[in-house]
Amino acid sequence: MSRRRSALFVAWIGVAVGAFGQTEADRLELAFPTDNDALLRGGGPEFYQYIERDYKGAKSKPWQGGRYGFVRNPIATSAGIVYTRFHEGIDIRPLHRAADGEPLDEVRAIAAGKVVYTNLVPSFSNYGNYIVIEHRWDGASYYSLYGHLSSVRVRVGQEVSQRETIAVMGHTGEGLSQARAHLHLELNLMFNRHFEGWHDTFFKADPNHHGIFNGINLAGIDIARLYLALEKDRAMTIPRFLAQEQIFYKVAMPNSPNFELPKLYSWLVADAGEGRTNAAAWEVSFNRAGVPLKVERRSQPVPEPEIAYVRKGPVDYSYLTRGVVGGRGETVMLTDSGKRLMRLLIYPE
């Protein structure tokens, strides 16, 4: 992406503000994190880094595996091939390499914000070296994540402006080679600020090196589609964007005082003007990726999280929901891992 093209892209979305001093009225602004802007021209193979696939002995390098969503680990089902592994972000291929093949692409902040986390020990994460930046839009916090970095140029607590250089692209993390070097980019909502206590309760033998910025606690939205939506509509917001998503399942939740979603993202709540005491329980709607789309009050209490709705189909729901929902057809339930994840939303109960 040329610097002139980058500047033009930012200009029509909105004038970038310096540092983290944003107001709730600020327009949603996203710049590309590297010079690669082929997404805007429909250039899938030019934008996404390929993955290496071996399906029933047939080896391939599909660029589609670098997209967001269920794009990996195909299996054959009665309804055809289903891709069962979810990819939380997008993998952006490099445009610049040194003579020895090392990527040289600078990585830049997609919007003004504050650096809230840096992982500088590659072995601690599949993302290798990564950075998390907090942004404020719609009166709420969102978190961009930049993974597989070769070097990090910012520190926790640092305020950054849009398109400020924060790192250099690399291939740190699990399963990457120099040939497949790329930037893994996410834009996330957070589930619960009490995540560390939940993790210590349910994963005693698994150290949490990343605090509340562990990937389990972050729900990634389709940032590539958001870039394209912003190109068509300069006034697009994340609440409006997610309102277009299809609800795949709903979960009824006890009315815990520690139910964080309504506190973190008040726009999720239907009839938000009513007091929290009016709810005997809550019902949370999710898309297939597990991103919360809506929170509604329920008049009947529930003792623990339970499935309230699923979009019926013949394929095992665990393949379609990252293992949160189990069963098929009329048989539906939260899996053990699904129950555990839903308890995160209301932890400590």
Side-chain angles (χ1 to χ4, degrees), residues 314-333:
V315 177
D316 191 319
Y317 299 129
S318 65
Y319 294 153
L320 307 177
T321 63
R322 306 177 66 182
V324 173
V325 182
R328 68 177 68 197
E330 297 299 320
T331 302
V332 57
M333 77 290 289

Side-chain angles (χ1 to χ4, degrees), residues 7 43 65 83 130 173 177 179 201 240 271 273 282:
Y83 293 83
Y130 73 91
S177 63
T201 298
R240 280 182 53 207
D271 302 321
W282 297 92

Side-chain angles (χ1 to χ4, degrees), residues 210-338:
H210 313 296
I212 63 173
F213 302 105
N214 186 302
I216 300 173
N217 197 34
L218 301 174
I221 69 176
D222 189 344
I223 189 171
R225 197 163 64 81
L226 181 58
Y227 275 120
L228 297 176
L230 282 166
E231 186 178 24
K232 294 179 180 178
D233 182 358
R234 302 180 187 183
M236 179 59 67
T237 66
I238 291 178
R240 280 182 53 207
F241 177 75
L242 291 180
Q244 301 169 9
E245 290 281 294
Q246 182 182 68
I247 294 172
F248 196 84
Y249 62 95
K250 300 180 181 181
V251 179
M253 312 285 295
N255 187 15
S256 166
N258 296 306
F259 181 36
E260 288 270 276
L261 282 179
K263 303 174 186 178
L264 298 174
Y265 305 99
S266 59
W267 51 265
L268 282 171
V269 183
D271 302 321
E274 299 183 18
R276 288 178 57 83
T277 56
N278 293 338
W282 297 92
E283 186 172 276
V284 185
S285 299
F286 297 90
N287 64 7
R288 277 189 64 194
V291 177
L293 304 177
K294 184 190 300 184
V295 175
E296 300 174 275
R297 291 169 174 81
R298 286 173 59 105
S299 58
Q300 296 298 317
V302 293
E304 61 183 13
E306 61 183 41
I307 278 288
Y309 162 83
V310 71
R311 187 167 180 242
K312 300 293 197 308
V315 177
D316 191 319
Y317 299 129
S318 65
Y319 294 153
L320 307 177
T321 63
R322 306 177 66 182
V324 173
V325 182
R328 68 177 68 197
E330 297 299 320
T331 302
V332 57
M333 77 290 289
L334 286 174
T335 63
D336 289 344
S337 61

